[in-house]
Amino acid sequence: MSYWEHARPVRRVRALDPEAIARAAVRILDVSGIDGLSLRALANALETAPASLYSRINGISDALDLALDHALERDGVVQRAVREEEASEILLSLYRHLLEHPWAVQVIAMRPPRGPAYLAFSECLSERLGRSGAAAPLSIAYSATNLVIGSAITHRVARLEPRTPGDASVAPVYEELRRAPHDPEEVLRQALHVLLANA
């Protein structure tokens, strides 16, 4: 269940601010990844007792939800999406964001993001695709964001690909082609162009 399905009302004057929890969680996640985020680590970063966190969240999954949405909003992805006319540029902005926060793709894989920033991003992308004449805007949005997420996951490996030897006797055409330098973002840009042009 997403944090936003059961967000707890403030019952105490000194209750922790969800925004503060989100900021602290993003700092920990950016340094240590998902394995480094625990209630104890979060409480230490907020200079409070772990039990105090339960005034606002049910557990680590809520902290991940808050961090995911906060990072997207803080990085300006939603604001850029609102300004952009082209769906491909909106999606490339998301890609760059996910490279900055590799843990985010893991959180997205756990359950659909339902925070206000992610919903605003999804609304903007769906609206642009609909305006461009896509017959099935939501299906295209899902396909395109999955392409972006997969590209973000494999970004590091894609950089290693040209330097990693293979067996030309098994895959001679592939071995010849893979040696050519390529930029992962440009590969994604071309793939998005094909996908969106045929929407």
Side-chain angles (χ1 to χ4, degrees):
M1 180 184 298
S2 168
Y3 166 81
W4 285 274
E5 294 177 66
H6 64 82
R8 296 184 174 187
V10 178
R11 300 188 191 282
R12 295 183 292 119
V13 173
R14 297 185 64 197
L16 287 168
D17 175 17
E19 187 74 8
I21 295 171
R23 283 194 304 270
V26 169
R27 284 194 302 271
I28 293 167
L29 288 161
D30 282 346
V31 171
S32 306
I34 286 183
D35 291 341
L37 184 65
S38 66
L39 289 178
R40 182 172 298 282
L42 194 52
N44 287 342
L46 292 165
E47 299 181 346
T48 190
S52 297
L53 291 169
Y54 288 107
S55 68
R56 296 316 302 262
I57 61 175
N58 282 336
I60 286 299
S61 63
D62 281 358
L64 290 170
D65 283 344
L66 288 167
L68 184 70
D69 211 62
H70 175 77
L72 190 78
E73 181 67 30
R74 184 194 68 185
D75 287 0
V77 177
V78 177
Q79 293 86 341
R80 284 193 294 277
V82 169
R83 291 193 305 268
E84 286 292 347
E85 287 298 316
E86 299 296 324
S88 60
E89 293 304 318
I90 294 172
L91 290 157
L92 287 167
S93 182
L94 176 64
Y95 170 72
R96 294 178 198 118
H97 163 75
L98 294 176
L99 294 185
E100 288 292 315
H101 308 284
W103 53 268
V105 293
Q106 295 174 267
V107 180
I108 291 169
M110 293 175 183
R111 59 180 173 267
R114 286 296 178 261
Y118 262 88
L119 290 178
F121 176 86
S122 298
E123 176 68 13
C124 192
L125 179 59
S126 299
E127 189 275 332
R128 293 298 189 284
L129 289 169
R131 192 195 310 166
S132 71
L138 189 58
S139 293
I140 297 300
Y142 286 155
S143 298
T145 51
N146 284 339
L147 179 60
V148 167
I149 291 165
S151 297
I153 291 170
T154 60
H155 173 82
R156 189 183 66 82
V157 174
R159 292 280 188 197
L160 298 174
E161 177 67 16
R163 300 190 304 271
T164 305
D167 187 342
S169 67
V170 175
V173 174
Y174 171 71
E175 276 300 295
E176 181 65 28
L177 293 174
R178 75 167 182 80
R179 290 193 185 104
H182 63 275
D183 174 44
E185 183 170 320
E186 185 56 32
V187 170
L188 174 60
R189 184 185 293 276
Q190 292 171 12
L192 288 170
H193 175 74
V194 172
L195 175 64
L196 298 175
N198 293 291

